[in-house]
Amino acid sequence: MQSLQELLSPLIKDDRVLMDKIKQQKLDVIRKYIDPSAVKEVRPEIVESWIRSSENGLDPRHYDYPPQMDPLMFDQLLKKKALLIQASTPFIHHLENMLSHVECYIIISDEQGVILSVVKALGGNGFKLEAGTIWTEKTIGTCSHGMCILLKSPIQLCGPEHFSHIFENIACSSAPIFDENGNLEGTLTITSPNLRSHNSQTLGLAISMAMGIQKQFQIALQNEIFDAALENTEEFMLFSDDDGKIIRTNMNALKIIELFGRDLIGSQVEDVLGEQPFFKSVVETGNTLSHIDFQLKNAKKKLFLTSIKPIKSKDKISGYIVLLKETDHIKKAAKSPYAAMVKFTFDTIIGSSPQSMKLKSMAKKFAHFNSNILIQGESGTGKDVYAQAIHFENRPNGPYIAVNCAAIPQNLIASELFGYEGGAFTGAERQGKPGKIELANGGTLFLDEIGDMPLELQAVLLRVLEDKMIMHVGGSRYIPVDFRLITATNKNLLDLVKNNQFREDLYYRISVFKLSVPPLRERGSDIVQLIEHFIRIYSSNQGIDEPILSNSAKYLLLQYNWPGNVRQLQNTISYAVCMSNEGIIRPENLPEEILSYQPPSGLTLAQPEPEPSPNEIILDNTPSMKEIEKKAIMKALHESNNHIRGAAKILGLSKSTLYRKIKEYEIS
């Protein structure tokens, strides 16, 4: 980092003669009357910024107010930057008190130059220095926080060093704020409308305050990551101090509250779990204990102690971490500690369209045989969902091991699948490591993106499928394995076979049974069911009331072609729930790709009825989906000249379902 002296403006001394000279040199550089190197009194990076500002179409003699960010987008930005704003608030208040006798502005911007907050704006504000305005080199020319963003370094600018003439009597000192990975998060700027009220100490003050905000922000960021990790674990987590008093829990631990009947925070661990000998052992010895079944005090529920571990600081115990699971949950889990938890069964798969019902019926039938299954379909259609459901139907008590062949480096995939002996290669664990196939013994091995498996490994996999035995990398003995193989791909494997990119004998070995998961755009009524399901899930996760989906928003969702399939729909609804206002999801709450989509000619659904007022929508919790569906059926019948088969194909419905709906809607 440069010294403070190098970061200061040479014009801080308020030398009017020098300032007039710089003003003229700035105009001469922009007009190309002189070479930029002739400007000796101004730092080269600032002269370069003058040139770029001019090339962006700006004129130093005319000031255009900076553009204002769209209010909705700015609201989103404030939510995104909530941690930074929260971390900066106490420091801004402190600065405000320190500078109470000085006319100045204290500004926090994001890493793109958007002003997040402005405080202590004494006097008039002729610059439109407001939250939500965009101050960058492209919008207003050379300015201190714009230079700070470009250089990722503190900087001070005075008078005519700024590009616009309107800033010729002000001084600014800016300092960057970084996250823990060194990425720029924003800037802090102190701006003085009067040069005489700004000095070298002002830049030092901006730097020290920015560093304080940075430290607080990084701590808040770490806490947020830590909190997310706590809430995403399936275990109950209790944190206690060295006396055994509970000081923190995760949300899963609230299940214990229901059994215990009181708040956990402030309670003693032994009051909650009972006077268990294992806790006393950890307190007395300082050693970690794990894998213990025990009875919860005053309840019939049994728990499984995953581990209880002392937290040590300089050889002194400062607290304990207790990890628990329900015993019933453990019994249902896969035997291998590496097994992925199965989340889907055939009963929980969303979708009642003819395509989905046919696929579920076929998959359920295949599940009761042990032959290999190949699942084909576009990315995001839910191939892994069907793999999990088949596993639960066929081998629910065995491990379910999922491997993405495209996500593992080619030099590691052999050791990942087949395991290795200790010292088999550089970096190998001393005791060796079992492979995914070995871990799947007694259960199911799901190989996703099988088309990306290297050819040389395909031959080894074929041998394993034939012999039901594996050998570790670096090993000398065969290990018998018994597993159900399910593979998936979004590629045409027969095309890969023709191009010698996939072994033909392996293809026929893994595709005894084949399932084709249709893309979402071909699944008709499933879209509505999935939308309702995801709204319910995300509302529940956020602890908010389920928003109502307006007719016009539903219309846009139904006409969209969903290239990213169910995964894209899931992300879209998550976004829409987040952006909804007044308990209603409107078109403006949907992502841009939905709003800008233009369906192919002839495939557009009938336009929905005009939206009622917000009050009317809130009073009527059942949007007119039936009206939209009725119009779509009438349109399909018209386009197919009233042929039921053709209309059913357009709508993605079976003939029997279409007949039923025609009768239901009294369509003549």
Side-chain angles (χ1 to χ4, degrees):
M1 183 175 172
Q2 295 171 289
S3 67
L4 183 61
Q5 193 62 38
E6 293 174 302
L7 302 172
L8 293 173
S9 168
L11 304 183
I12 195 66
K13 297 176 183 178
D14 195 12
D15 185 334
R16 290 294 162 179
V17 174
L18 180 58
M19 287 187 179
D20 289 340
K21 178 181 178 182
I22 298 301
K23 276 192 249 181
Q24 186 59 49
Q25 286 184 328
K26 178 168 55 180
L27 292 174
D28 290 343
V29 166
I30 291 170
R31 294 165 177 165
K32 298 182 180 180
Y33 292 168
I34 61 173
D35 191 88
S37 61
V39 185
K40 303 296 185 183
E41 293 83 359
V42 177
R43 290 157 287 182
E45 57 268 28
I46 293 175
V47 178
E48 291 168 4
S49 177
W50 290 347
I51 297 170
R52 289 193 300 269
S53 301
S54 177
E55 290 173 348
N56 287 329
L58 300 176
D59 187 334
R61 298 164 299 178
H62 298 96
Y63 179 70
D64 292 325
Y65 286 126
Q68 186 85 27
M69 199 172 189
D70 175 76
L72 185 61
M73 293 180 66
F74 183 58
D75 187 54
Q76 289 179 252
L77 180 63
L78 290 179
K79 291 175 182 176
K80 180 182 175 184
K81 293 293 184 179
L83 282 182
L84 174 63
I85 295 169
Q86 184 180 350
S88 66
T89 299
F91 293 91
I92 297 300
H93 288 330
H94 187 48
L95 261 178
E96 195 174 3
N97 291 331
M98 292 175 66
L99 301 173
S100 59
H101 62 291
V102 179
E103 184 180 354
C104 68
Y105 305 90
I106 304 166
I107 306 160
I108 296 290
S109 85
D110 77 346
E111 73 281 8
Q112 301 296 330
V114 179
I115 304 297
L116 300 177
S117 69
V118 182
V119 299
K120 204 179 180 309
L122 297 180
N125 188 343
F127 315 123
K128 201 175 182 180
L129 188 56
E130 302 169 356
T133 51
I134 306 169
W135 288 56
T136 65
E137 196 176 73
K138 290 184 177 180
T139 61
I140 61 154
T142 310
C143 63
S144 71
H145 86 256
M147 292 298 296
C148 180
I149 290 169
L150 289 171
L151 302 174
K152 294 181 172 58
S153 169
I155 193 167
Q156 184 180 75
L157 267 69
C158 290
E161 286 184 313
H162 298 88
F163 185 75
S164 176
H165 74 98
I166 200 170
F167 303 128
E168 287 178 353
N169 291 312
I170 75 168
C172 302
S173 293
S174 297
I177 302 166
F178 298 97
D179 67 14
E180 59 184 356
N181 296 315
N183 300 311
L184 186 65
E185 185 68 22
T187 68
L188 167 70
T189 299
I190 301 174
T191 298
S192 302
N194 189 329
L195 281 170
R196 292 183 178 85
S197 60
H198 213 86
N199 53 40
S200 59
Q201 284 78 21
T202 308
L203 179 59
L205 187 60
I207 293 171
S208 63
M209 287 296 174
M211 290 179 69
I213 294 171
Q214 177 176 293
K215 184 176 181 180
Q216 196 65 33
F217 169 71
Q218 291 178 0
I219 291 172
L221 200 58
Q222 289 170 357
N223 287 339
E224 187 177 68
I225 294 169
F226 180 64
D227 288 342
L230 287 186
E231 301 312 330
N232 283 312
T233 180
E234 294 176 347
E235 293 170 305
F236 309 151
M237 302 186 74
L238 305 175
F239 296 82
S240 78
D241 61 15
D242 58 334
D243 291 326
K245 184 169 71 176
I246 297 172
I247 56 176
R248 187 170 184 177
T249 67
N250 66 345
M251 289 297 291
N252 281 345
L254 294 177
K255 295 178 181 178
I256 298 180
I257 294 177
E258 297 172 7
L259 303 172
F260 184 53
R262 58 180 284 190
D263 192 0
L264 294 181
I265 305 300
S267 302
Q268 292 291 321
V269 172
E270 288 193 334
D271 286 342
V272 177
L273 305 182
E275 294 183 3
Q276 305 293 346
F278 58 77
F279 187 69
K280 289 184 178 179
S281 173
V282 174
V283 172
E284 292 171 0
T285 65
N287 296 326
T288 299
L289 284 181
S290 59
H291 301 92
I292 300 171
D293 280 301
F294 70 98
Q295 185 82 35
L296 186 66
K297 182 183 177 182
N298 300 327
K300 296 180 180 179
K301 181 75 76 173
K302 282 188 175 181
L303 293 178
F304 178 78
L305 179 76
T306 304
S307 73
I308 178 168
K309 182 177 182 178
I311 305 170
K312 295 182 179 179
S313 177
K314 296 181 180 179
D315 297 325
K316 182 182 178 182
I317 294 177
S318 57
Y320 302 90
I321 302 176
V322 183
L323 305 180
L324 306 162
K325 283 187 178 181
E326 292 182 55
T327 304
D328 292 343
H329 183 68
I330 297 297
K331 289 179 180 177
K332 292 177 183 176
K335 295 175 183 177
S336 166
Y338 299 95
M341 296 304 298
V342 175
K343 299 177 182 177
F344 296 97
T345 67
F346 286 113
D347 291 334
T348 60
I349 295 178
I350 305 296
S352 59
S353 67
Q355 297 91 329
S356 291
M357 297 303 291
K358 180 180 179 181
L359 180 63
K360 279 193 272 190
S361 175
M362 186 180 296
K364 198 167 186 177
K365 193 170 185 178
F366 289 170
H368 294 288
F369 296 83
N370 282 319
S371 298
N372 302 327
I373 298 175
L374 172 64
I375 305 176
Q376 299 169 297
E378 296 177 4
S379 294
T381 50
K383 299 184 288 295
D384 58 325
V385 170
Y386 281 90
Q388 291 185 36
I390 291 168
H391 164 78
F392 191 86
E393 189 78 8
N394 181 243
R395 299 189 175 198
N397 296 320
Y400 175 81
I401 304 296
V403 180
N404 188 326
C405 298
I408 304 174
Q410 290 198 8
N411 60 329
L412 295 179
I413 194 168
S415 59
E416 280 292 312
L417 283 179
F418 306 111
Y420 58 83
E421 295 294 320
F425 52 86
T426 301
E429 294 180 11
R430 195 189 320 175
Q431 69 275 22
K433 187 178 179 182
K436 296 295 191 289
I437 296 177
E438 188 177 352
L439 293 173
N441 188 41
T444 301
L445 176 68
F446 175 53
L447 296 180
D448 199 6
E449 306 298 345
I450 186 69
D452 292 286
M453 179 177 282
L455 271 171
E456 60 271 22
L457 216 59
Q458 293 177 23
V460 184
L461 177 60
L462 181 63
R463 176 59 60 189
V464 171
L465 295 177
E466 289 173 351
D467 299 340
K468 293 294 181 181
M469 291 191 295
I470 62 164
M471 181 184 292
H472 289 167
V473 174
S476 57
R477 63 184 180 89
Y478 283 100
I479 302 169
V481 286
D482 171 33
F483 61 92
R484 169 72 175 272
L485 179 67
I486 303 175
T487 56
T489 182
N490 60 6
K491 298 180 178 180
N492 188 319
L493 293 186
L494 285 176
D495 284 347
L496 296 182
V497 169
K498 291 177 184 177
N499 295 326
N500 297 318
Q501 294 175 295
F502 199 88
R503 291 181 64 101
E504 185 175 18
D505 46 1
L506 179 60
Y507 170 77
Y508 290 111
R509 173 69 71 171
I510 65 175
S511 61
V512 178
F513 293 140
K514 285 187 285 189
L515 292 171
S516 294
V517 183
L520 186 58
R521 59 184 173 274
E522 296 177 7
R523 288 170 54 183
S525 58
D526 287 359
I527 298 177
V528 178
Q529 289 180 277
L530 287 164
I531 290 170
E532 294 171 348
H533 172 71
F534 291 139
I535 288 177
R536 187 163 54 250
I537 291 297
Y538 286 113
S539 300
S540 175
N541 289 345
Q542 296 300 319
I544 61 175
D545 293 333
E546 292 180 29
I548 299 165
L549 185 64
S550 68
N551 294 341
S552 50
K554 187 177 290 185
Y555 168 78
L556 293 174
L557 293 171
L558 288 172
Q559 75 163 354
Y560 188 66
N561 68 341
W562 300 111
N565 293 295
V566 179
R567 187 181 297 121
Q568 185 188 11
L569 176 61
Q570 184 175 1
N571 293 338
T572 296
I573 299 305
S574 173
Y575 178 90
V577 170
C578 173
M579 298 305 299
S580 63
N581 292 305
E582 302 174 336
I584 306 166
I585 297 175
R586 298 184 174 88
E588 59 264 31
N589 303 136
L590 301 176
E592 179 58 30
E593 65 265 26
I594 308 294
L595 298 176
S596 61
Y597 176 69
Q598 294 293 327
S601 177
L603 294 183
T604 306
L605 292 176
Q607 290 285 344
E609 295 294 329
E611 291 292 334
S613 69
N615 289 336
E616 291 174 325
I617 296 177
I618 292 170
L619 290 171
D620 180 8
N621 287 345
T622 309
S624 180
M625 179 57 211
K626 290 184 178 180
E627 191 64 34
I628 296 175
E629 192 171 43
K630 180 180 178 180
K631 290 184 178 181
I633 292 172
M634 293 173 67
K635 188 175 191 307
L637 287 169
H638 175 73
E639 291 177 355
S640 62
N641 294 320
N642 290 321
H643 290 156
I644 295 297
R645 183 187 296 275
K649 187 174 182 181
I650 292 172
L651 295 166
L653 301 174
S654 65
K655 288 197 297 179
S656 60
T657 301
L658 181 55
Y659 275 122
R660 178 173 55 79
K661 288 185 177 291
I662 289 173
K663 183 178 180 181
E664 178 184 346
Y665 296 140
E666 299 179 348
I667 299 173
S668 58

